[in-house]
Amino acid sequence: MKYTAELDINAMTEEGSIYTVSEEPYSALEFIRFSPKRGEIQPGERQAIRFALRKPSGLEHGEYRAIVRISSELAPTEGGNVNLASKLAYSLPIIVRHGEVFVESALVEPSTVMHNGALNIQVWVTRKGNRSLFGNFSVETPDGKVLGVMNNVAVYRPLERRRVLIPLQEIEKGPVIIKYTENKKFGGDLVLAVEHTLE
């Protein structure tokens, strides 16, 4: 299998879509070096990619981001008259946090909406500060019954708000609590909640 790796930068829309950009004020591209950038891996083998971080002096406190894109191509396999080959691509975020980082956030404007033919709770997540958010959402009844979840939701700096849709696996009319918990593995400890009513 042959592979290539490259660094890129991206941005996020309020709907949560990710797109590639050529410039980003909080890019980490200039801080990161890595190797090897391409190679070939035989079946059963592994390849480690080593990264080095060198932050410039006088760097403003805050969070900086890049994406490493790894593309691989499997050699064609022959079976009878059929020739098969496959290409795979992976995108992994690289987050660099420097100095004092902070964030303020709230859950606002909850509502009940139809999305792709299913009932969802919609909520907006606001973000202020010099770092991103990354965590999990749940919709629960006052007695703790979970009606829906949405995990691994990011709100990347410098985005100031993002719309989140939480699909409901169960529906119970009445008051519910929308909860957000930051993933501690990504350096956050925020816990947020807002009330809503299912009618």
Side-chain angles (χ1 to χ4, degrees):
M1 178 183 71
K2 295 181 179 179
Y3 77 90
T4 58
E6 59 182 353
L7 285 178
D8 212 337
I9 50 176
N10 59 23
M12 175 179 282
T13 70
E14 290 189 348
E15 303 299 315
S17 298
I18 298 291
Y19 61 98
T20 302
V21 294
S22 58
E23 295 183 1
E24 162 62 49
Y26 307 112
S27 167
L29 289 185
E30 299 300 321
F31 315 158
I32 299 170
R33 299 292 181 268
F34 71 99
S35 67
K37 297 182 179 180
R38 59 184 56 84
E40 186 169 345
I41 305 173
Q42 298 301 320
E45 291 185 346
R46 296 182 180 182
Q47 174 64 61
I49 299 178
R50 295 175 174 82
F51 290 83
L53 176 65
R54 295 182 179 178
K55 293 183 287 187
S57 61
L59 182 65
E60 179 183 347
H61 289 194
E63 178 187 280
Y64 301 84
R65 195 176 67 256
I67 293 288
V68 58
R69 301 186 189 278
I70 302 175
S71 302
S72 62
E73 182 175 354
L74 299 179
T77 59
E78 295 184 5
N81 296 323
V82 180
N83 212 9
L84 299 176
S86 61
K87 294 183 178 181
L88 303 173
Y90 307 89
S91 295
L92 304 173
I94 298 177
I95 305 295
V96 177
R97 289 178 176 170
H98 173 69
E100 296 182 6
V101 293
F102 63 94
V103 70
E104 296 178 4
S105 181
L107 306 181
V108 298
E109 301 178 30
S111 61
T112 307
V113 300
M114 292 295 295
H115 180 71
N116 292 334
L119 202 63
N120 285 248
I121 294 295
Q122 174 180 288
V123 67
W124 287 87
V125 188
T126 65
R127 191 208 63 82
K128 291 183 179 180
N130 64 0
R131 72 168 176 87
S132 301
L133 296 166
F134 190 85
N136 304 323
F137 286 85
S138 66
V139 178
E140 302 177 12
T141 63
D143 60 2
K145 182 179 180 180
V146 177
L147 304 180
V149 296
M150 175 61 71
N151 292 328
N152 302 321
V153 177
V155 185
Y156 286 141
R157 182 194 190 198
L159 195 66
E160 294 184 351
R161 69 172 195 164
R162 176 184 165 175
R163 184 178 74 134
V164 176
L165 291 170
I166 309 166
L168 295 176
Q169 281 76 49
E170 293 189 49
I171 301 173
E172 291 191 9
K173 292 185 178 181
V176 295
I177 303 171
I178 305 166
K179 294 183 178 180
Y180 169 75
T181 305
E182 269 199 292
N183 191 322
K184 292 183 179 180
K185 292 182 180 179
F186 291 84
D189 57 4
L190 278 182
V191 177
L192 307 173
V194 66
E195 295 181 353
H196 181 55
T197 301
L198 286 175
E199 299 179 348

